[in-house]
Amino acid sequence: QIGGIAARAESAMTIARCANYAPISTQFNRVGGMVGFFIFNAATVTITDCVNRGNLTSTTGKADGGIGGIVGFNYSNNYNGVVNYLRCANYGDITASSSVGATGMAGDAGNVQSYSFCANYGNVTGKTASGLHGTASGITFANCYSEGTFTALTTGATIGLVAGWIK
């Protein structure tokens, strides 16, 4: 668990006006520009006005967690928690091995409720590759933008400019 601001966060909170400029390169997973790993119970987390400008790289072969410009791994879906992103942006390149999902915003992101005015400008490479979110269900995207080159390293994996798979 490695984060540009916090490695691990475990409660309801608002993360506001934070920036990461540091490149992070590691052999571990659960890597995020702001937070590496979220786990919280029946709570709401809001991430607002945060920016990642550091390139993030994970070379792990372990398929547990993700890598993302803002959050690496959000485990809140197992505890009825939700996350909302507002006016966040990723400018760094996000690179993972063929074992780890990668996105510009939230690497392995359970129970994200919404992305509003969020953007990804970096290139994304990993097991799956998406601009903002990997797999989504019951999620709202409003006024979001994504660009860059997206490369999935696994046959049949999802690639999405905004989301890899909405079900």
Side-chain angles (χ1 to χ4, degrees), residues 73-153:
F73 184 37
N74 171 20
Y75 199 62
S76 64
N77 57 320
N78 291 336
Y79 298 97
N80 300 314
V82 297
V83 181
N84 295 296
Y85 292 83
L86 176 63
R87 294 183 306 272
C88 293
N90 173 60
Y91 293 89
D93 291 339
I94 310 300
T95 307
S97 70
S98 61
S99 300
V100 177
T103 71
M105 198 64 47
D108 189 337
N111 266 23
V112 172
Q113 192 170 44
S114 67
Y115 292 95
S116 299
F117 299 97
C118 292
N120 172 65
Y121 300 97
N123 299 317
V124 180
T125 301
K127 175 182 176 181
T128 57
S130 305
L132 300 181
H133 194 90
T135 301
S137 178
I139 192 170
T140 299
F141 294 97
N143 300 299
C144 294
Y145 176 81
S146 184
E147 65 180 49
T149 300
F150 300 89
T151 306
L153 301 174

Side-chain angles (χ1 to χ4, degrees), residues 42-65:
T44 298
V45 169
T46 301
I47 303 173
T48 183
D49 299 313
C50 290
V51 175
N52 177 59
R53 292 188 178 271
N55 293 333
L56 308 180
T57 303
S58 171
T59 59
T60 186
K62 186 176 179 186
D64 176 28

